Amino acid sequence: MDLSELYRDVIVDHNRRPRNFGRLESATQLADGNNPLCGDKLRVYVDVEHDVIRDVRFDGSGCAISTASASLMSEAVKGRSRAEVAELFAQVHRMLTRHDEAPDPGLGKLAALAGVREFPARVKCASLCWHTLNAALTGGHEVSTE
Ligand code: ZN
């Protein structure tokens, strides 16, 4: 099995069985993301305490790439500080837009999305969850307790 097959398997697995999928009752902030080019719609929920993401979940509907990316992101950011998440977002963005570099080893399983950069129209699918997480962390809209 070569690396691209391994990466494809990771994406297929995270699309079929997305991790941290569903509403997060303890969310302190959330934001909605929309990628009209593809029709991807995500809501990202975060539970932030003392600058650390205690928990994160997402729901919505989207293509395989957007769902797998959100699932991988949710695993990668849980327990991290805002600064660490910002650094990770920067690395993911680099990975998705730079053709001349191997993915940073610190990306771990997130590197499975590196192949997306060969398909510019899909880059937005992969990055939607990160923009939505960023919106949630930088204000987003507050969760209504109804
Ligand atoms: Zn998409």
Side-chain angles (χ1 to χ4, degrees), residues 39-137:
D40 308 316
K41 285 186 162 69
L42 289 179
R43 175 169 283 178
V44 173
Y45 307 82
V46 285
D47 176 357
V48 182
E49 190 183 59
H50 300 127
D51 222 35
V52 170
I53 298 181
R54 282 205 308 191
D55 206 356
V56 55
R57 292 178 79 84
F58 73 99
D59 61 17
S61 62
C63 67
I65 297 292
S66 70
T67 301
S69 182
S71 174
L72 287 161
M73 178 190 80
S74 70
E75 285 193 325
V77 302
K78 207 181 274 195
R80 298 220 197 199
S81 70
R82 286 170 185 271
E84 288 169 334
V85 169
E87 173 62 21
L88 207 51
F89 185 16
Q91 286 177 357
V92 167
H93 189 259
R94 253 182 113 76
M95 172 182 81
L96 292 174
T97 52
R98 297 286 297 259
H99 291 251
D100 52 344
E101 291 177 13
D104 188 292
L107 285 167
K109 264 199 272 180
L110 291 167
L113 292 160
V116 169
R117 62 187 167 186
E118 305 304 328
F119 307 95
R122 310 311 299 277
V123 169
K124 284 191 169 153
C125 301
S127 60
L128 175 65
C129 59
W130 288 92
H131 289 292
T132 310
L133 172 66
N134 204 36
L137 288 175

